[in-house]
Amino acid sequence: MFVSSIVTLMAGHLFKVSALATAVFASSGFYLYDRQLNLDDLTVIRFGRAAATTAIISFDYLTAFKHLEYGTEEYWALRSKVHLRSAERLRDLCCANRGTFIKVGQHLGALDYLLPEEYTSTLKVLHSRAPQSSMQEIQQVVREDLGKELSELFLSFEEKPHGAASLAQVHKALLHDGRTVAIKVQHPKVQSQSVKDIVMMEVLVKAVHWLCPEFAFMWLVDEAKKNMPLELDFLREGQNSEKVANMLAHFPFLKVPKIHWDLSTKRILTMEFAEGGQVNDREYMKKHGIDVNEISENLGKIYSEMIFVQGFVHCDPHPGNVLVRKCPTSKKTQITLLDHGLYQVLEPDFRLDYCRLWQALIRGDMSGVERYSRRLGAGDLFALFACVLTARSWTAVNAGISSVPVTHSEDVEIQTNAAQYLPQISELLNRVPRQMLLLLKTNDLLRGIETTLQTRASSSSFINMSRCCIRAMARHRRSKARSRSRRVQVTLAECVQLCGLSVYELLLWVKGCRLGTWLTALLTFLH
């Protein structure tokens, strides 16, 4: 009771301090107006707004459940309401402070199986609430970085953005040689505000952790610290896109837009314009005769190759960054991968343990699941880690995730558990290697696409994952082999395993087609 009173008092103090800061600087509005400064750009206003929101949310969680017994129906109903209004306050804060706040909010909104549903569904709207820079600001950035006016660089330039995101917006333009390009221009104030915003978040997250020790969200701040400078460097993004295009050149269905380096800087990226519909647009696919199963399978191949074999992973596959279309010349289905600012490089040892863990999960090898979960930092939370990683129940994990279909009731169970075990999930995310955090986000985004396409947990996805895991492990063993005979032995074992997978895939195809039905009926009759 004493601790609760102290915590409530501290939350009240934090609220008063933030309110005072906001009031003091708001009172100088006439001076700022004369200087033609925007209040929303002032760090102290942004901090006051963030501190006030943090204090209100903390106070709500600390006081709302005082008179309710834990675990009762009333408790869970009220907890859902508190989650929802807190998520709405957080969403409003992100929209008000923009930039880095929207980026972090979008990251949280992608964690469907890690955070309560009230948060993820509320924060998902931030993808459509991104700020837009004015045409004057866009012209200023182009003038500063490329040294010329838009009319000198482009034959035409569409003033209305083709798309707007938290850090930049994209315009469609026509070069003087007739080629159509997309120009990604960074919002002018994001660069200067991002460092201050991250420090601000770190202070507030530490304050919340001090008030409520069970809520440990430093992993979120650590990720923002590491990734934001990388995402704000568009030259690095261009290099990433070229690297992944070369790395996955053996996939004829993948397209990565080419970069125009002469029209690119750290704040401007000019690339080939990509046509197509978003990967979650089933109506677009139906209209253009695109097979959703083919798209889902090919997307799985791309990401299995990146994660298990190459260790260089595109970590922002939300639907706006993955386009699909029928190629006008070949008439074949094509996937276009956009926005290459955020990549995770996986250390070899981490990547191999991750391969072994997924192989154990697919087979239902529980001793392997525990062993490799522990090696990846989960410790005694290995069971929770397996459920978080796969978004499957512990029952499905025990049976082998490839042999148990996903059901709606299982999804509801997972999201309910995400709300109930939030402190344990926070602890787990602080334990695992930083490399794991972006992989978890990537997994959730890909699962979201599969759910929309209704191809989740298909046998083809597990076969593709297994195939890449086999190749990755064989390549590692060959690199460690000391003799030619040992390398040949490893290669033969790899071929046998891959052939076994291909035979299994063929059997599944035969079983699923009309010929398979006839053969089954004939064999039953003969028997």
Side-chain angles (χ1 to χ4, degrees):
M1 198 61 187
F2 175 73
V3 174
S4 176
S5 301
I6 292 292
V7 167
T8 304
L9 182 64
M10 290 307 299
H13 285 330
L14 181 58
F15 176 76
K16 288 175 183 175
V17 170
S18 62
L20 179 62
T22 304
V24 167
F25 282 88
S27 67
S28 59
F30 289 110
Y31 171 74
L32 296 171
Y33 178 77
D34 289 339
R35 296 283 303 275
Q36 294 186 335
L37 295 175
N38 188 341
L39 281 173
D40 287 334
D41 293 336
L42 291 174
T43 301
V44 70
I45 297 298
R46 297 163 67 81
F47 178 76
R49 188 186 288 132
T53 302
T54 303
I56 292 169
I57 291 174
S58 300
F59 187 80
D60 200 2
Y61 275 106
L62 290 166
T63 59
F65 312 104
K66 274 185 175 180
H67 306 295
L68 288 177
E69 184 182 347
Y70 178 84
T72 62
E73 282 188 25
E74 293 83 1
Y75 176 89
W76 292 118
L78 179 59
R79 189 180 178 95
S80 178
K81 289 178 182 177
V82 174
H83 281 333
L84 182 59
R85 61 184 181 235
S86 299
E88 288 170 347
R89 288 166 180 150
L90 190 58
R91 176 202 61 203
D92 294 342
L93 169 65
C94 293
C95 291
N97 277 6
R98 296 165 289 131
T100 307
F101 280 82
I102 285 187
K103 192 70 182 176
V104 171
Q106 289 172 345
H107 181 87
L108 291 173
L111 302 177
D112 285 297
Y113 298 93
L114 295 177
L115 296 178
E117 192 270 338
E118 293 88 351
Y119 275 91
T120 56
S121 60
T122 302
L123 296 176
K124 268 183 172 58
V125 303
L126 292 175
H127 281 290
S128 59
R129 296 273 189 96
Q132 287 189 15
S133 295
S134 67
M135 197 57 202
Q136 289 74 23
E137 289 173 318
I138 295 298
Q139 288 172 329
Q140 183 64 27
V141 172
V142 171
R143 198 178 296 122
E144 289 173 0
D145 282 32
L146 296 176
K148 292 183 179 181
E149 298 296 329
L150 286 173
S151 57
E152 297 177 76
L153 297 167
F154 307 104
L155 192 62
S156 66
F157 187 95
E158 291 186 6
E159 292 194 9
K160 184 180 179 182
H162 193 72
S166 54
L167 307 181
Q169 62 192 52
V170 177
H171 291 263
K172 187 177 180 180
L174 193 65
L175 296 176
H176 288 286
D177 61 9
R179 287 178 294 172
T180 305
V181 294
I183 303 98
K184 182 176 179 180
V185 184
Q186 196 172 110
H187 299 308
K189 296 166 188 172
V190 167
Q191 194 84 246
S192 59
Q193 289 174 344
S194 65
V195 176
K196 301 169 191 172
D197 285 349
I198 291 170
V199 171
M200 193 187 306
M201 288 178 195
E202 184 171 15
V203 169
L204 294 174
V205 166
K206 284 181 177 177
V208 170
H209 181 54
W210 183 66
L211 290 168
C212 311
E214 68 269 24
F215 292 103
F217 285 92
M218 276 310 296
W219 59 269
L220 186 62
V221 176
D222 291 341
E223 283 302 288
K225 268 184 180 177
K226 183 187 77 174
N227 295 323
M228 195 57 63
L230 303 179
E231 291 194 74
L232 289 171
D233 184 353
F234 288 177
L235 291 178
R236 184 185 180 89
E237 179 178 341
Q239 291 163 0
N240 286 342
S241 69
E242 289 195 342
K243 178 176 179 177
V244 83
N246 293 329
M247 188 177 84
L248 303 179
H250 57 287
F251 289 139
F253 52 78
L254 175 64
K255 181 175 178 60
V256 178
K258 292 178 181 176
I259 305 299
H260 292 258
W261 289 108
D262 57 324
L263 295 173
S264 297
T265 68
K266 289 190 79 169
R267 294 193 298 170
I268 298 171
L269 189 65
T270 305
M271 69 203 91
E272 175 185 3
F273 187 81
E275 304 279 0
Q278 291 191 6
V279 71
N280 64 343
D281 190 344
R282 287 178 63 89
E283 285 301 313
Y284 175 90
M285 293 192 218
K286 185 177 179 181
K287 181 180 176 182
H288 292 85
I290 297 172
D291 183 358
V292 294
N293 291 305
E294 182 185 357
I295 290 295
S296 182
E297 182 176 350
N298 287 343
L299 193 59
K301 286 179 181 177
I302 291 168
Y303 271 87
S304 291
E305 180 78 16
M306 284 196 283
I307 293 170
F308 299 114
V309 181
Q310 304 295 341
F312 186 67
V313 189
H314 180 287
C315 288
D316 202 12
H318 73 76
N321 288 339
V322 185
L323 304 182
V324 296
R325 69 164 188 163
K326 275 285 181 82
C327 180
T329 51
S330 67
K331 303 300 179 185
K332 291 183 178 179
T333 302
Q334 193 174 69
I335 294 175
T336 302
L337 205 54
L338 304 175
D339 196 347
H340 299 270
L342 188 58
Y343 271 77
Q344 179 67 66
V345 177
L346 306 181
E347 296 296 329
D349 288 343
F350 173 93
R351 179 172 55 83
L352 293 169
D353 280 338
Y354 194 67
C355 280
R356 296 178 183 113
L357 174 58
W358 270 104
Q359 287 179 311
L361 287 165
I362 291 169
R363 293 194 304 263
D365 171 12
M366 297 315 297
S367 63
V369 169
E370 179 177 354
R371 182 186 313 117
Y372 296 114
S373 294
R374 287 183 181 278
R375 284 178 61 165
L376 288 168
D380 57 347
L381 294 174
F382 68 89
L384 177 63
F385 178 59
C387 294
V388 162
L389 184 61
T390 59
R392 302 298 302 271
S393 66
W394 184 239
T395 303
V397 170
N398 269 280
I401 57 173
S402 63
S403 60
V404 181
V406 178
T407 62
H408 175 68
S409 60
E410 186 183 10
D411 274 344
V412 171
E413 179 188 343
I414 290 292
Q415 290 184 332
T416 302
N417 288 340
Q420 291 182 12
Y421 296 106
L422 187 57
Q424 291 89 338
I425 290 174
S426 295
E427 183 185 348
L428 175 66
L429 296 179
N430 278 301
R431 280 189 191 184
V432 296
R434 301 296 92 182
Q435 300 168 77
M436 183 62 72
L437 299 179
L438 281 180
L439 280 185
L440 291 173
K441 174 197 171 187
T442 304
N443 285 345
D444 273 356
L445 286 168
L446 291 172
R447 265 192 290 267
I449 292 171
E450 288 179 341
T451 300
T452 303
L453 299 181
Q454 298 175 2
T455 58
R456 180 128 171 255
S458 64
S459 57
S460 64
S461 66
F462 292 122
I463 289 170
N464 286 326
M465 289 172 68
S466 298
R467 193 171 275 130
C468 285
C469 288
I470 290 168
R471 286 173 50 216
M473 295 306 300
R475 188 167 71 173
H476 170 69
R477 292 187 187 110
R478 271 194 297 271
S479 70
K480 297 294 182 183
R482 295 184 178 181
S483 65
R484 184 178 178 182
S485 60
R486 175 57 184 157
R487 286 193 291 273
V488 170
Q489 185 182 356
V490 169
T491 301
L492 287 174
E494 177 189 11
C495 290
V496 169
Q497 287 179 294
L498 291 175
C499 285
L501 269 180
S502 297
V503 170
Y504 176 64
E505 190 173 26
L506 178 63
L507 289 174
L508 287 177
W509 177 82
V510 169
K511 185 179 177 182
C513 69
R514 186 173 297 178
L515 175 62
T517 307
W518 290 345
L519 286 173
T520 304
L522 178 61
L523 288 171
T524 304
F525 174 75
L526 291 174
H527 179 70

